[in-house]
Amino acid sequence: RKKKVDVAIRTARSSGKMNLSDCALSRLPDEIFSLRTNVTIDLSLSIDNPGFAYGEDEVTLLDISDNSLAGGIDERVSNLTSLQILRARRCDVAEVPWRSVVLKLDNLLTLDLAGNSLSVAMLELLPVTMREVDLSNNSLTRITGDDEPPVVLPSLIRLDLANNRLNKLPMRMEVPSLRHLIFAGNEIGEEFPDALIRECGKSLTTLDGQRNKLRRVPSLVGCKRLRVVDFGDNALIDVPQIGEDVIELNLVNNKLKSIGGLFAEMEQSPDFRSKLGELRLRG
């Protein structure tokens, strides 16, 4: 363990990237929060950072995945003010200090907390710089605060909420750049929020909502970049309306009686050309 940690700290001092994954840690070592303490300067450490070692305030990547951090994420992580990527996959974490840590990481681009035991997330506290969020394989019952504040993430590209316990998605999400929305394996029984589709309609390419309890899905005709749609294993009674550029559609194990209206009224147009190459209706 000590050797792996020492290597990770030396690498962080020379590159600003700290990989402490799978180091058999039960808590984060104090040294990572004082990288310049008792360090002899080596001018060969980094071409990009000549003359001094990277300090904790210059670390851009922290990966603490595959450790047993049941005590939670150390609040001193908030001192890593340049952090762009934070990964803590499969760490036995039940709570995240959203206000005291995540809210203060103004440069964060990627947050990966997959495979933990989280029951609550607060996406509204994420910085507007966020591009990727992975909260899959937790026990989430909600992803915003109690009063359901708006989630404003204008740069978000990927949101993975798969395999949680969510029974609804937030009604107010400003995510105009979202390309990949994954919420498979939850308990969402309400109709998918129309407002969310309208918000990311110009950017969405992948929509994965399989293994939920959805009965209806709003029209997806306006999602011009949408290519892959998966609503298998739901309770849909009406076929979702899709645009002509969708290439893959999974509707297995629903309650559909027909697929009439799949392309809305577009199929009446002489210029209509569907790119649909794979349509699955039976498991």
Side-chain angles (χ1 to χ4, degrees), residues 19-153:
N19 185 354
L20 290 167
S21 62
D22 195 22
C23 284
L25 298 175
S26 59
R27 60 184 296 274
L28 297 185
D30 295 337
E31 296 94 319
I32 74 172
F33 301 110
S34 55
L35 289 179
R36 290 202 182 107
T37 300
N38 298 322
V39 175
T40 301
I41 301 302
D42 183 346
L43 295 180
S44 68
L45 279 176
S46 172
I47 295 176
D48 297 326
N49 189 19
F52 60 95
Y54 281 83
E56 63 276 6
D57 57 335
E58 296 171 305
V59 170
T60 58
L61 181 149
L62 175 63
D63 190 342
I64 53 177
S65 300
D66 297 303
N67 289 290
S68 183
L69 303 176
I73 294 177
D74 195 312
E75 294 201 358
R76 290 178 294 175
V77 170
S78 64
N79 296 329
L80 309 182
T81 52
S82 296
L83 205 60
Q84 296 179 356
I85 300 173
L86 174 57
R87 299 193 190 281
R89 299 172 66 90
R90 300 177 296 275
C91 287
D92 300 322
V93 172
E95 295 183 8
V96 169
W98 294 94
R99 295 186 185 279
S100 57
V101 174
V102 178
L103 181 60
K104 297 178 181 179
L105 299 176
D106 294 335
N107 298 297
L108 202 60
L109 302 176
T110 298
L111 178 64
D112 187 349
L113 300 173
N116 284 288
S117 303
L118 302 177
S119 60
V120 174
M122 294 185 177
L123 297 189
E124 72 274 15
L125 299 182
L126 292 173
V128 295
T129 53
M130 290 300 309
R131 293 175 63 84
E132 297 186 34
V133 176
D134 191 343
L135 297 171
S136 62
N137 299 300
N138 277 279
S139 300
L140 292 171
T141 57
R142 57 186 175 89
I143 55 175
T144 61
D146 289 331
D147 54 349
E148 298 189 3
V151 176
V152 182
L153 297 172

Side-chain angles (χ1 to χ4, degrees), residues 259-283:
I259 59 170
L262 183 62
F263 296 104
E265 298 178 357
M266 291 187 302
E267 54 194 17
Q268 306 299 324
S269 169
D271 298 323
F272 173 74
R273 296 289 186 276
S274 172
K275 296 182 176 67
L276 189 63
E278 183 175 349
L279 172 60
R280 284 174 280 166
L281 296 171
R282 294 183 178 180

Side-chain angles (χ1 to χ4, degrees), residues 182-244:
I182 304 165
F183 59 98
N186 279 280
E187 301 171 8
I188 298 173
E190 298 180 6
E191 181 174 338
F192 191 85
D194 291 44
L196 180 53
I197 290 296
R198 291 195 299 270
E199 179 62 32
C200 59
K202 294 181 179 180
S203 58
L204 197 63
T205 62
T206 303
L207 181 57
D208 185 352
Q210 61 179 307
R211 292 180 285 110
N212 278 278
K213 299 177 181 179
L214 288 166
R215 292 177 58 82
R216 289 185 175 82
V217 177
S219 173
L220 304 174
V221 173
C223 301
K224 301 300 184 182
R225 296 186 177 183
L226 192 58
R227 299 294 182 268
V228 178
V229 179
D230 194 336
F231 284 116
D233 295 287
N234 274 279
L236 296 179
I237 57 177
D238 295 316
V239 68
Q241 296 180 342
I242 62 172
E244 59 185 353

